[in-house]
Amino acid sequence: RKERAAQIAGVAGKALALRTRFPNSTHIEGARRMELQMLQNAVGLGHTASKDRLRAVEEELLKDPATSENDRVRLLAARVQMEAMAHESEGEPAMTAILEKGARDLMREYPTNAMPFQMLMSVLTRSEGDAARKLAAELKENPNTPDRVRQSASGHLKRIEAVGKPLALKFT
C-alpha cells in the first residue's frame, strides 16, 4: 500500500513538473486536475508527505475564479471525506459525525448545491433510531433538498416509522 501511494505521488509530481515547465500549455488544466486526483489518492493511501502539496493545489483551485461551484463543493466534500477516513480507527460513529458536520458546513456555504444533501443522505444510511428519524425528517422538509434525496429520505422515514408496527395483511 505504501509503495503504491509513493508511485501515485510520483505521478502527481510529474503533473506538477509539466505545469511548471509548460505554464502556457493547453493541457495545463488537465495536468492540474490529474495532480489533484493523484495527490488525493496518495494521501488516501497514507502518503503523508503529499498532504501539504494537496492542500496547496486545493487552495489554488478554490482561489481560481474559473473554478465552478460544483467543482468547489466537490473539492471541499473530498476534504471532509478524507478527514473522516483519517478517523477510521476511532470507529464508524466518529467518521459519521465528521461527515455530518462537514455536510452541514457545506450546506451553510452552498445551500442550493446537491452535494451536501447527498452527503447527509449518506450519514442517514449509517444512522439509527431517533437520530435517523430526525435527519430523514430534516431532509424531507428542507426546501433546498434535491428531489432524489427527498424521495430517499421519505422512504427511509417510512421504514423507520414502520418498525414495530403490525403489518396489515389480507388473505383472499
Side-chain angles (χ1 to χ4, degrees):
R1 185 174 174 157
K2 287 185 179 183
E3 186 177 306
R4 182 77 177 133
Q7 289 173 340
I8 292 170
V11 173
K14 288 180 181 184
L16 172 61
L18 184 134
R19 291 177 50 205
T20 305
R21 190 166 174 206
F22 304 103
N24 297 323
S25 170
T26 58
H27 303 289
I28 200 83
E29 189 57 36
R32 182 165 63 173
R33 292 197 183 283
M34 174 66 73
E35 182 184 10
L36 175 67
Q37 289 175 343
M38 294 299 108
L39 288 169
Q40 287 172 330
N41 290 338
V43 170
L45 289 171
H47 196 262
T48 56
S50 295
K51 281 185 179 179
D52 290 339
R53 182 66 199 144
L54 173 60
R55 288 290 178 237
V57 173
E58 288 174 339
E59 290 305 319
E60 182 183 327
L61 282 166
L62 290 171
K63 289 177 184 175
D64 185 350
T67 303
S68 71
E69 178 182 300
N70 281 339
D71 286 343
R72 288 176 200 283
V73 173
R74 204 173 296 124
L75 184 66
L76 294 169
R79 268 189 187 177
V80 170
Q81 291 166 344
M82 288 179 76
E83 183 181 344
M85 290 303 295
H87 291 82
E88 188 175 21
S89 63
E90 298 170 29
E92 185 78 19
M95 292 172 60
T96 302
I98 291 168
L99 285 172
E100 182 173 2
K101 181 189 179 308
R104 290 186 184 285
D105 289 347
L106 285 172
M107 281 175 67
R108 275 190 287 283
E109 196 168 343
Y110 301 97
T112 58
N113 192 287
M115 180 71 72
F117 293 95
Q118 292 165 348
M119 290 171 69
L120 272 184
M121 191 64 211
S122 175
V123 169
L124 173 59
T125 62
R126 296 176 174 154
S127 301
E128 296 178 354
D130 201 40
R133 179 180 283 108
K134 287 179 184 177
L135 188 52
E138 177 186 340
L139 286 169
K140 182 180 172 189
E141 300 303 321
N142 188 322
N144 292 326
T145 301
D147 289 337
R148 291 180 72 194
V149 174
R150 180 176 285 111
Q151 289 170 352
S152 293
S154 294
H156 254 50
L157 195 55
K158 285 178 185 176
R159 283 190 292 280
I160 291 167
E161 291 172 348
V163 172
K165 293 186 179 172
L167 291 174
L169 297 177
K170 199 184 230 185
F171 295 98
T172 55

